[in-house]
Amino acid sequence: MSRETSMACLGLISPGLRDLGWEDGRNIVIEVRFADGKLDRLRGLAEELLHLNVSLIVAANSPGASAAIAATKTVPIVMVEVGDPSPQGS
């Protein structure tokens, strides 16, 4: 998913979050990261989010989901546009 598509999707869910009482910067913080096509950056980005003590990671593709799964076994991961994110043999 491109940066533009991801940000558009975020814009689409923001009203729904507000309807549920969640407002970015008030009672929820949405941390956004992009690898910009550099798949070798994904694990580091996932670890960066974990150092921020996030409550949830949203991965927008299979490589991102795989990186998040490899980085944590405790933080929930929501996967969007993902095939099989599990590493081969697990």
Side-chain angles (χ1 to χ4, degrees):
M1 185 179 296
S2 72
R3 180 183 293 253
E4 293 78 20
T5 301
S6 295
M7 293 307 293
C9 289
L10 183 57
L12 292 172
I13 66 166
S14 293
L17 289 171
R18 269 193 305 279
D19 290 347
L20 295 170
W22 298 100
E23 189 174 337
D24 190 25
R26 186 173 64 84
N27 58 1
I28 188 173
V29 176
I30 299 173
E31 294 285 347
V32 180
R33 301 291 186 277
F34 295 98
D36 295 320
K38 298 177 179 105
L39 299 182
D40 59 316
R41 295 184 59 216
L42 290 170
R43 177 75 182 257
L45 293 172
E47 289 172 355
E48 185 178 313
L49 290 171
L50 294 171
H51 287 303
L52 295 172
N53 292 320
V54 296
S55 299
L56 174 77
I57 293 176
V58 177
N61 54 40
S62 295
S66 294
I69 289 167
T72 183
K73 301 294 183 238
T74 58
V75 174
I77 301 164
V78 174
M79 298 174 271
V80 182
E81 292 190 18
V82 172
D84 181 3
S86 60
Q88 186 119 9
S90 3

